[in-house]
Amino acid sequence: MTMNVVTWIVIWGAMAMAAAAAAGVVAGYKNRDYSFWIGWCFLFPPLLVVLLLLPRFEGERPRRPSLDEEDKNWY
């Protein structure tokens, strides 16, 4: 039984989606920017291990500035 390229792509895709979903949950628990971790763990599923090893942030979750706030300081 040989595994062709399509099978490997499907396996990687399933792992990437599962890692992204898990990263969202873990990042929320650890008080981190969940959209950042979801994106990177989707591209590189082993980064989920790095997220699990990071300590939990105390206090308020870091917030990204809105596009208006970023454009205001551009000039």
Side-chain angles (χ1 to χ4, degrees), residues 7-8 10-11 16 20-21 23 28 31-34 37 39-40 47 51-52 60 62-63 65-66 71-72:
T7 305
W8 285 109
V10 170
I11 290 171
N31 215 14
R32 304 240 174 212
D33 183 9
Y34 57 87
W37 284 103
W40 279 108
L47 280 179
L51 178 60
L52 288 169
E60 190 174 320
R63 182 181 74 81
S66 68
D71 288 343
K72 180 177 70 174

Side-chain angles (χ1 to χ4, degrees), residues 18-39:
V25 172
V26 173
Y29 171 74
K30 294 207 172 215
N31 215 14
R32 304 240 174 212
D33 183 9
Y34 57 87
S35 63
F36 172 85
W37 284 103
I38 288 173

